[in-house]
Coordinates of all heavy atoms in Angstrom, one line a residue:
M1267 N 5.5 37.7 -101.8 CA 6.4 36.7 -101.3 C 6.9 37.0 -100.0 O 7.2 36.1 -99.2 CB 7.5 36.6 -102.4 CG 8.4 35.4 -102.1 SD 7.6 33.9 -102.4 CE 8.9 32.7 -102.2
Q1268 N 7.1 38.3 -99.7 CA 7.6 38.7 -98.4 C 6.7 38.3 -97.3 O 7.1 38.0 -96.1 CB 7.9 40.2 -98.3 CG 9.1 40.6 -99.2 CD 10.4 39.9 -98.8 OE1 10.6 39.7 -97.6 NE2 11.2 39.6 -99.8
T1269 N 5.4 38.4 -97.5 CA 4.4 38.0 -96.5 C 4.5 36.5 -96.2 O 4.4 36.1 -95.1 CB 2.9 38.3 -97.1 OG1 2.9 39.7 -97.4 CG2 1.9 38.0 -96.0
I1270 N 4.7 35.7 -97.2 CA 4.8 34.3 -97.0 C 6.1 34.0 -96.2 O 6.1 33.2 -95.3 CB 4.8 33.5 -98.4 CG1 3.5 33.6 -99.1 CG2 5.2 32.1 -98.2 CD1 3.5 33.1 -100.5
K1271 N 7.2 34.6 -96.6 CA 8.5 34.4 -95.9 C 8.4 34.9 -94.4 O 9.1 34.4 -93.6 CB 9.6 35.1 -96.6 CG 10.1 34.4 -97.8 CD 11.3 35.1 -98.4 CE 11.9 34.3 -99.5 NZ 13.1 34.8 -100.0
R1272 N 7.5 35.9 -94.2 CA 7.4 36.4 -92.8 C 6.7 35.3 -91.9 O 7.1 35.1 -90.8 CB 6.6 37.7 -92.8 CG 6.5 38.3 -91.4 CD 5.8 39.5 -91.4 NE 4.4 39.3 -91.9 CZ 3.5 40.2 -92.1 NH1 3.8 41.5 -91.9 NH2 2.3 39.9 -92.5
F1273 N 5.7 34.6 -92.4 CA 5.1 33.6 -91.7 C 5.8 32.2 -91.7 O 5.7 31.5 -90.8 CB 3.6 33.4 -92.2 CG 2.7 34.6 -91.9 CD1 2.2 35.3 -92.9 CD2 2.4 34.9 -90.6 CE1 1.4 36.4 -92.6 CE2 1.6 36.0 -90.3 CZ 1.1 36.8 -91.3
F1274 N 6.5 31.9 -92.8 CA 7.2 30.7 -93.0 C 8.6 31.0 -93.4 O 8.9 31.1 -94.6 CB 6.5 29.8 -94.1 CG 5.1 29.5 -93.8 CD1 4.1 30.0 -94.5 CD2 4.8 28.6 -92.8 CE1 2.8 29.8 -94.3 CE2 3.5 28.3 -92.5 CZ 2.5 28.9 -93.3
P1275 N 9.6 31.3 -92.5 CA 10.9 31.7 -92.9 C 11.7 30.7 -93.7 O 12.6 31.1 -94.5 CB 11.6 31.9 -91.5 CG 10.5 31.9 -90.5 CD 9.4 31.2 -91.1
G1276 N 11.4 29.4 -93.7 CA 12.2 28.5 -94.5 C 11.5 28.0 -95.7 O 11.9 26.9 -96.2
I1277 N 10.5 28.7 -96.2 CA 9.7 28.2 -97.3 C 10.5 28.1 -98.6 O 10.3 27.1 -99.4 CB 8.4 29.0 -97.5 CG1 7.4 28.3 -98.5 CG2 8.7 30.4 -98.1 CD1 6.7 27.2 -97.8
D1278 N 11.5 29.0 -98.8 CA 12.3 28.9 -99.9 C 13.2 27.7 -99.9 O 13.5 27.0 -100.9 CB 13.1 30.2 -100.1 CG 13.8 30.6 -98.9 OD1 13.6 30.1 -97.8 OD2 14.7 31.5 -99.0
T1279 N 13.7 27.3 -98.7 CA 14.5 26.1 -98.5 C 13.7 24.9 -98.8 O 14.2 23.9 -99.4 CB 15.1 26.1 -97.1 OG1 15.8 27.3 -96.8 CG2 16.1 25.0 -96.9
M1280 N 12.5 24.8 -98.3 CA 11.6 23.7 -98.6 C 11.4 23.5 -100.1 O 11.4 22.4 -100.6 CB 10.3 23.8 -97.8 CG 9.4 22.6 -97.9 SD 10.0 21.1 -97.2 CE 9.8 21.5 -95.5
G1281 N 11.1 24.6 -100.7 CA 10.9 24.5 -102.2 C 12.1 24.0 -102.9 O 12.0 23.2 -103.9
L1282 N 13.3 24.5 -102.5 CA 14.5 24.1 -103.2 C 14.7 22.6 -102.9 O 15.2 21.8 -103.8 CB 15.7 24.9 -102.7 CG 17.0 24.6 -103.3 CD1 17.0 24.8 -104.8 CD2 18.1 25.4 -102.6
T1283 N 14.5 22.1 -101.7 CA 14.6 20.7 -101.4 C 13.7 19.8 -102.2 O 14.2 18.8 -102.7 CB 14.4 20.5 -99.9 OG1 15.3 21.3 -99.1 CG2 14.6 19.1 -99.5
L1284 N 12.5 20.2 -102.3 CA 11.5 19.4 -103.1 C 11.9 19.4 -104.6 O 11.8 18.4 -105.3 CB 10.1 19.9 -102.9 CG 9.5 19.6 -101.5 CD1 8.2 20.2 -101.4 CD2 9.5 18.1 -101.2
T1285 N 12.4 20.5 -105.1 CA 12.8 20.6 -106.5 C 14.1 19.7 -106.7 O 14.1 19.0 -107.7 CB 13.2 22.1 -106.8 OG1 12.0 22.9 -106.6 CG2 13.6 22.2 -108.3
M1286 N 15.0 19.7 -105.8 CA 16.2 18.8 -105.9 C 15.7 17.4 -105.9 O 16.3 16.6 -106.7 CB 17.2 19.1 -104.8 CG 17.9 20.4 -104.9 SD 19.0 20.8 -103.6 CE 19.7 19.3 -103.1
W1287 N 14.8 17.0 -105.0 CA 14.3 15.6 -105.0 C 13.7 15.2 -106.3 O 13.9 14.1 -106.8 CB 13.4 15.4 -103.8 CG 12.8 14.0 -103.7 CD1 13.5 12.9 -103.4 CD2 11.5 13.6 -104.1 NE1 12.7 11.8 -103.4 CE2 11.5 12.2 -103.9 CE3 10.4 14.2 -104.5 CZ2 10.3 11.5 -104.1 CZ3 9.2 13.5 -104.8 CH2 9.2 12.1 -104.6
I1288 N 12.8 16.1 -106.8 CA 12.2 15.8 -108.1 C 13.2 15.6 -109.2 O 13.0 14.8 -110.1 CB 11.1 16.9 -108.4 CG1 9.9 16.8 -107.5 CG2 10.6 16.8 -109.9 CD1 8.9 17.9 -107.5
C1289 N 14.3 16.4 -109.2 CA 15.3 16.3 -110.2 C 16.1 15.1 -110.1 O 16.7 14.6 -111.1 CB 16.2 17.6 -110.2 SG 15.4 19.1 -110.7
T1290 N 16.2 14.5 -108.9 CA 16.9 13.2 -108.8 C 16.1 12.0 -109.2 O 16.7 10.9 -109.4 CB 17.4 13.0 -107.3 OG1 16.3 13.0 -106.5 CG2 18.4 14.1 -106.9
L1291 N 14.8 12.1 -109.3 CA 14.0 11.0 -109.7 C 14.3 10.4 -111.0 O 14.4 9.1 -111.1 CB 12.5 11.3 -109.6 CG 12.0 11.6 -108.2 CD1 10.5 12.0 -108.3 CD2 12.2 10.4 -107.3
P1292 N 14.6 11.2 -112.1 CA 15.0 10.5 -113.3 C 16.3 9.8 -113.2 O 16.5 8.7 -113.8 CB 15.1 11.7 -114.3 CG 14.3 12.8 -113.7 CD 14.3 12.6 -112.3
L1293 N 17.2 10.3 -112.4 CA 18.5 9.6 -112.3 C 18.3 8.3 -111.5 O 18.9 7.3 -111.9 CB 19.5 10.5 -111.5 CG 20.9 10.0 -111.2 CD1 21.6 9.8 -112.5 CD2 21.6 10.9 -110.3
I1294 N 17.5 8.3 -110.5 CA 17.2 7.1 -109.8 C 16.5 6.1 -110.7 O 16.8 4.9 -110.8 CB 16.3 7.4 -108.6 CG1 17.1 8.1 -107.5 CG2 15.7 6.1 -108.0 CD1 16.3 8.6 -106.4
G1295 N 15.6 6.6 -111.6 CA 14.9 5.7 -112.5 C 15.8 5.1 -113.6 O 15.6 4.0 -114.0
L1296 N 16.8 5.9 -114.0 CA 17.6 5.5 -115.1 C 18.8 4.6 -114.6 O 19.4 3.8 -115.4 CB 18.2 6.7 -115.9 CG 17.2 7.4 -116.7 CD1 17.8 8.7 -117.3 CD2 16.6 6.6 -117.8
V1297 N 19.2 4.8 -113.4 CA 20.4 4.1 -112.9 C 20.0 3.0 -111.9 O 20.5 1.8 -112.1 CB 21.4 5.1 -112.2 CG1 22.6 4.3 -111.6 CG2 21.9 6.1 -113.2
I1298 N 19.2 3.3 -110.9 CA 18.9 2.3 -109.9 C 17.9 1.2 -110.4 O 18.1 0.0 -110.1 CB 18.4 3.0 -108.6 CG1 19.4 4.0 -108.1 CG2 18.0 2.0 -107.5 CD1 20.7 3.4 -107.7
A1299 N 16.9 1.7 -111.1 CA 15.8 0.7 -111.5 C 16.3 -0.4 -112.4 O 16.0 -1.5 -112.1 CB 14.7 1.5 -112.1
P1300 N 17.1 -0.1 -113.4 CA 17.6 -1.2 -114.2 C 18.6 -2.1 -113.5 O 18.6 -3.3 -113.7 CB 18.3 -0.5 -115.4 CG 17.9 0.9 -115.4 CD 17.5 1.2 -114.0
L1301 N 19.4 -1.6 -112.6 CA 20.4 -2.4 -111.9 C 19.8 -3.2 -110.7 O 20.2 -4.4 -110.6 CB 21.5 -1.5 -111.3 CG 22.4 -0.8 -112.4 CD1 23.3 0.1 -111.7 CD2 23.1 -1.8 -113.2
F1302 N 18.9 -2.6 -110.0 CA 18.4 -3.3 -108.7 C 16.9 -3.5 -108.7 O 16.4 -4.1 -107.8 CB 18.8 -2.4 -107.5 CG 20.3 -2.2 -107.4 CD1 20.8 -1.0 -107.6 CD2 21.1 -3.3 -107.0 CE1 22.2 -0.8 -107.5 CE2 22.4 -3.1 -106.8 CZ 23.0 -1.9 -107.1
G1303 N 16.2 -3.0 -109.7 CA 14.8 -3.3 -109.8 C 13.9 -2.1 -109.3 O 14.4 -1.1 -108.7
T1304 N 12.7 -2.2 -109.6 CA 11.7 -1.1 -109.4 C 11.5 -0.9 -107.9 O 11.5 0.3 -107.4 CB 10.4 -1.3 -110.0 OG1 10.6 -1.6 -111.4 CG2 9.5 -0.1 -109.9
Q1305 N 11.4 -1.9 -107.1 CA 11.1 -1.8 -105.7 C 12.3 -1.1 -105.0 O 12.1 -0.3 -104.1 CB 10.9 -3.2 -105.1 CG 10.4 -3.1 -103.6 CD 10.0 -4.4 -103.1 OE1 10.2 -5.4 -103.8 NE2 9.5 -4.4 -101.8
A1306 N 13.5 -1.4 -105.4 CA 14.7 -0.8 -104.8 C 14.8 0.7 -105.2 O 15.1 1.5 -104.3 CB 16.0 -1.5 -105.2
A1307 N 14.4 1.0 -106.4 CA 14.4 2.4 -106.9 C 13.4 3.2 -106.1 O 13.7 4.4 -105.7 CB 14.1 2.5 -108.4
V1308 N 12.2 2.7 -105.9 CA 11.1 3.4 -105.1 C 11.6 3.5 -103.7 O 11.4 4.6 -103.1 CB 9.8 2.6 -105.2 CG1 8.8 3.2 -104.2 CG2 9.3 2.6 -106.6
S1309 N 12.2 2.5 -103.1 CA 12.7 2.6 -101.7 C 13.8 3.7 -101.6 O 13.8 4.4 -100.6 CB 13.2 1.3 -101.2 OG 12.2 0.3 -101.3
I1310 N 14.7 3.7 -102.5 CA 15.7 4.7 -102.5 C 15.1 6.1 -102.7 O 15.5 7.1 -102.0 CB 16.8 4.4 -103.5 CG1 17.6 3.2 -103.1 CG2 17.7 5.6 -103.7 CD1 18.6 2.7 -104.1
A1311 N 14.2 6.3 -103.6 CA 13.5 7.6 -103.8 C 12.8 8.1 -102.5 O 13.0 9.2 -102.1 CB 12.6 7.5 -105.0
I1312 N 12.1 7.2 -101.9 CA 11.4 7.6 -100.6 C 12.4 7.8 -99.5 O 12.2 8.8 -98.8 CB 10.4 6.5 -100.2 CG1 9.2 6.4 -101.3 CG2 9.8 6.7 -98.8 CD1 8.3 5.3 -101.1
G1313 N 13.4 7.0 -99.4 CA 14.4 7.3 -98.4 C 15.1 8.6 -98.6 O 15.4 9.3 -97.6
L1314 N 15.5 8.9 -99.8 CA 16.1 10.2 -100.2 C 15.2 11.3 -99.8 O 15.6 12.4 -99.3 CB 16.5 10.2 -101.6 CG 17.3 11.4 -102.1 CD1 18.7 11.5 -101.4 CD2 17.5 11.3 -103.6
L1315 N 13.9 11.2 -100.1 CA 12.9 12.3 -99.8 C 12.9 12.5 -98.3 O 13.0 13.6 -97.8 CB 11.6 11.9 -100.3 CG 10.4 12.9 -99.9 CD1 10.7 14.2 -100.5 CD2 9.1 12.3 -100.3
I1316 N 12.9 11.4 -97.5 CA 12.8 11.6 -96.0 C 14.1 12.2 -95.5 O 14.0 13.1 -94.7 CB 12.6 10.2 -95.4 CG1 11.2 9.7 -95.7 CG2 12.8 10.2 -93.9 CD1 10.9 8.3 -95.3
I1317 N 15.2 11.8 -96.0 CA 16.5 12.4 -95.6 C 16.6 13.9 -95.9 O 17.0 14.7 -95.1 CB 17.7 11.6 -96.2 CG1 17.8 10.2 -95.6 CG2 19.0 12.4 -96.0 CD1 18.8 9.3 -96.3
M1318 N 16.2 14.2 -97.1 CA 16.2 15.6 -97.5 C 15.2 16.5 -96.8 O 15.6 17.6 -96.4 CB 15.9 15.7 -99.0 CG 17.1 15.1 -99.9 SD 16.7 15.1 -101.6 CE 17.1 16.8 -102.1
L1319 N 14.1 15.9 -96.5 CA 13.1 16.7 -95.7 C 13.5 16.9 -94.3 O 13.3 18.0 -93.7 CB 11.7 16.1 -95.8 CG 11.0 16.2 -97.1 CD1 9.6 15.5 -97.1 CD2 10.8 17.6 -97.5
V1320 N 14.1 15.9 -93.7 CA 14.6 16.0 -92.3 C 15.7 17.1 -92.2 O 15.7 17.9 -91.3 CB 15.0 14.7 -91.7 CG1 15.8 14.9 -90.4 CG2 13.8 13.8 -91.5
S1321 N 16.6 17.0 -93.2 CA 17.7 18.0 -93.1 C 17.1 19.4 -93.4 O 17.5 20.4 -92.8 CB 18.7 17.7 -94.2 OG 18.2 17.7 -95.5
C1322 N 16.1 19.5 -94.3 CA 15.4 20.8 -94.5 C 14.7 21.3 -93.3 O 14.8 22.5 -93.0 CB 14.5 20.7 -95.7 SG 13.6 22.2 -96.1
W1323 N 14.0 20.4 -92.6 CA 13.3 20.9 -91.4 C 14.3 21.4 -90.3 O 14.0 22.4 -89.7 CB 12.5 19.7 -90.8 CG 11.3 19.4 -91.5 CD1 10.6 20.2 -92.3 CD2 10.7 18.1 -91.6 NE1 9.5 19.6 -92.9 CE2 9.5 18.3 -92.5 CE3 10.9 16.9 -91.1 CZ2 8.7 17.2 -92.7 CZ3 10.1 15.8 -91.4 CH2 9.0 16.0 -92.2
F1324 N 15.5 20.8 -90.2 CA 16.5 21.4 -89.3 C 16.9 22.8 -89.7 O 17.1 23.7 -88.9 CB 17.7 20.4 -89.1 CG 17.4 19.2 -88.3 CD1 17.6 18.0 -88.8 CD2 17.0 19.4 -87.0 CE1 17.4 16.9 -88.0 CE2 16.7 18.3 -86.2 CZ 16.9 17.0 -86.7
I1325 N 17.1 23.0 -91.0 CA 17.5 24.3 -91.5 C 16.4 25.3 -91.3 O 16.6 26.4 -90.8 CB 17.9 24.2 -93.0 CG1 19.2 23.4 -93.2 CG2 18.0 25.6 -93.6 CD1 19.5 23.0 -94.6
C1326 N 15.1 24.9 -91.6 CA 14.0 25.7 -91.4 C 13.7 26.1 -89.9 O 13.4 27.2 -89.6 CB 12.7 25.1 -92.0 SG 12.8 25.0 -93.8
I1327 N 13.9 25.1 -89.0 CA 13.7 25.4 -87.6 C 14.8 26.4 -87.1 O 14.5 27.3 -86.4 CB 13.8 24.1 -86.8 CG1 12.5 23.2 -87.1 CG2 14.0 24.3 -85.3 CD1 12.6 21.8 -86.5
S1328 N 16.0 26.2 -87.6 CA 17.1 27.2 -87.2 C 16.8 28.6 -87.7 O 17.0 29.6 -87.0 CB 18.4 26.7 -87.6 OG 18.6 26.7 -89.0
K1329 N 16.2 28.7 -88.9 CA 15.9 30.0 -89.4 C 14.7 30.6 -88.6 O 14.7 31.8 -88.4 CB 15.5 29.9 -90.9 CG 16.6 29.8 -91.9 CD 16.1 29.8 -93.3 CE 17.3 29.6 -94.3 NZ 16.8 29.7 -95.7
T1330 N 13.7 29.8 -88.3 CA 12.6 30.3 -87.5 C 13.1 30.7 -86.1 O 12.6 31.8 -85.6 CB 11.6 29.2 -87.3 OG1 11.2 28.7 -88.6 CG2 10.3 29.6 -86.6
I1331 N 13.9 30.0 -85.5 CA 14.4 30.4 -84.2 C 15.2 31.7 -84.3 O 15.1 32.6 -83.5 CB 15.3 29.3 -83.5 CG1 14.4 28.1 -83.2 CG2 16.1 29.8 -82.3 CD1 15.2 26.9 -82.8
Q1332 N 16.1 31.8 -85.3 CA 16.8 33.0 -85.5 C 15.9 34.2 -85.8 O 16.1 35.3 -85.2 CB 17.8 32.8 -86.7 CG 18.7 34.0 -86.9 CD 19.6 33.8 -88.1 OE1 19.4 32.9 -88.9 NE2 20.5 34.7 -88.3
S1333 N 14.9 34.0 -86.6 CA 13.9 35.1 -86.9 C 13.2 35.5 -85.6 O 13.0 36.7 -85.4 CB 12.9 34.6 -87.9 OG 11.9 35.6 -88.1
H1334 N 12.8 34.6 -84.8 CA 12.1 34.9 -83.5 C 13.1 35.7 -82.6 O 12.6 36.6 -81.9 CB 11.6 33.6 -82.8 CG 10.9 33.9 -81.6 ND1 9.7 34.5 -81.5 CD2 11.3 33.6 -80.3 CE1 9.4 34.6 -80.2 NE2 10.3 34.0 -79.5
R1335 N 14.3 35.3 -82.5 CA 15.3 36.0 -81.6 C 15.5 37.4 -82.1 O 15.6 38.3 -81.3 CB 16.6 35.2 -81.6 CG 16.6 34.0 -80.8 CD 17.9 33.3 -80.7 NE 17.9 32.1 -80.0 CZ 18.8 31.2 -80.0 NH1 19.9 31.3 -80.7 NH2 18.7 30.1 -79.2
V1336 N 15.6 37.6 -83.4 CA 15.7 39.0 -83.9 C 14.5 39.8 -83.6 O 14.6 41.0 -83.1 CB 16.0 39.0 -85.4 CG1 15.9 40.4 -86.0 CG2 17.3 38.4 -85.7
K1337 N 13.3 39.3 -83.8 CA 12.1 40.0 -83.4 C 12.0 40.3 -82.0 O 11.6 41.4 -81.6 CB 10.9 39.2 -83.9 CG 10.7 39.2 -85.4 CD 9.5 38.4 -85.8 CE 9.3 38.2 -87.2 NZ 8.2 37.4 -87.6
S1338 N 12.3 39.4 -81.1 CA 12.2 39.6 -79.7 C 13.3 40.6 -79.2 O 13.0 41.4 -78.3 CB 12.3 38.3 -78.9 OG 13.6 37.7 -79.0
S1339 N 14.4 40.6 -79.8 CA 15.5 41.6 -79.4 C 15.1 43.0 -79.9 O 15.4 43.9 -79.2 CB 16.8 41.2 -79.9 OG 16.9 41.3 -81.3
Q1340 N 14.4 43.1 -81.0 CA 14.0 44.4 -81.5 C 12.9 44.9 -80.6 O 12.9 46.1 -80.3 CB 13.5 44.3 -83.0 CG 14.6 44.1 -84.0 CD 14.1 43.9 -85.4 OE1 12.9 43.7 -85.6 NE2 15.0 43.8 -86.3
S1341 N 12.0 44.0 -80.2 CA 10.9 44.5 -79.3 C 11.5 44.9 -77.9 O 11.0 45.8 -77.3 CB 9.8 43.5 -79.2 OG 10.3 42.3 -78.5
D1342 N 12.5 44.2 -77.5 CA 13.1 44.5 -76.2 C 13.8 45.9 -76.3 O 13.8 46.7 -75.4 CB 14.2 43.5 -75.8 CG 13.5 42.2 -75.3 OD1 12.3 42.2 -75.0 OD2 14.2 41.2 -75.2
D1343 N 14.5 46.2 -77.4 CA 15.1 47.5 -77.6 C 14.1 48.6 -77.7 O 14.4 49.7 -77.1 CB 15.9 47.4 -78.9 CG 17.1 46.5 -78.9 OD1 17.6 46.2 -77.7 OD2 17.7 46.1 -79.9
V1344 N 13.0 48.4 -78.3 CA 11.9 49.4 -78.4 C 11.4 49.7 -77.0 O 11.2 50.8 -76.6 CB 10.8 49.0 -79.4 CG1 9.6 49.9 -79.3 CG2 11.4 49.0 -80.8
S1345 N 11.1 48.6 -76.2 CA 10.5 48.8 -74.9 C 11.5 49.5 -73.9 O 11.2 50.2 -73.0 CB 10.1 47.5 -74.3 OG 11.2 46.6 -74.1
R1346 N 12.8 49.3 -74.1 CA 13.8 49.9 -73.3 C 14.0 51.4 -73.6 O 14.3 52.2 -72.7 CB 15.2 49.3 -73.5 CG 15.3 47.9 -72.8 CD 16.6 47.3 -73.1 NE 16.6 45.9 -72.6 CZ 17.5 45.0 -73.0 NH1 18.5 45.4 -73.7 NH2 17.4 43.8 -72.6
N1347 N 13.8 51.8 -74.9 CA 13.9 53.2 -75.3 C 12.7 54.1 -74.8 O 12.9 55.3 -74.6 CB 14.1 53.3 -76.8 CG 15.4 52.8 -77.2 OD1 16.4 52.7 -76.5 ND2 15.5 52.3 -78.5
H1348 N 11.6 53.5 -74.6 CA 10.4 54.2 -74.2 C 10.2 54.0 -72.7 O 9.9 52.9 -72.3 CB 9.2 53.8 -75.0 CG 9.3 54.1 -76.4 ND1 9.3 55.4 -76.8 CD2 9.4 53.3 -77.5 CE1 9.4 55.4 -78.2 NE2 9.4 54.2 -78.6
P1349 N 10.3 55.0 -71.9 CA 10.1 54.8 -70.4 C 8.6 54.7 -70.0 O 7.7 54.9 -70.6 CB 10.7 56.1 -69.8 CG 10.8 57.1 -70.9 CD 10.8 56.3 -72.2

């Protein structure tokens, strides 16, 4: 798992986001579909997926940038210590 996290720092956040979206689908199906119809329920489910993925991408991008900064600062420290 550490190898995957090294290449994809936000993979755990993406997995959690998709799991949360899947868990909201029964609620959308039980509440929205009977009240507003199937087409509205599908539209809300897709809209919710897009909103959740965009927010997840922002979180993942910030984690990736932070990881890159830490790696570059560590390599700068190592190069400064060796003349």
Side-chain angles (χ1 to χ4, degrees):
M1267 188 69 175
Q1268 291 300 326
T1269 305
I1270 294 172
K1271 283 187 176 185
R1272 185 177 60 184
F1273 291 113
F1274 304 108
I1277 193 75
D1278 51 347
T1279 307
M1280 183 66 75
L1282 181 62
T1283 301
L1284 291 175
T1285 302
M1286 286 175 38
W1287 178 73
I1288 290 172
C1289 290
T1290 61
L1291 291 179
L1293 182 64
I1294 292 171
L1296 292 172
V1297 175
I1298 303 297
L1301 293 174
F1302 300 107
T1304 306
Q1305 187 174 4
V1308 170
S1309 298
I1310 289 172
I1312 292 171
L1314 186 62
L1315 175 64
I1316 291 170
I1317 290 169
M1318 291 174 83
L1319 287 178
V1320 167
S1321 64
C1322 179
W1323 286 333
F1324 284 123
I1325 292 169
C1326 293
I1327 287 171
S1328 66
K1329 283 184 180 182
T1330 304
I1331 291 171
Q1332 181 182 11
S1333 173
H1334 179 69
R1335 285 182 182 165
V1336 168
K1337 287 178 185 177
S1338 66
S1339 68
Q1340 288 174 352
S1341 66
D1342 288 345
D1343 291 341
V1344 170
S1345 65
R1346 288 180 190 163
N1347 291 336
H1348 295 295

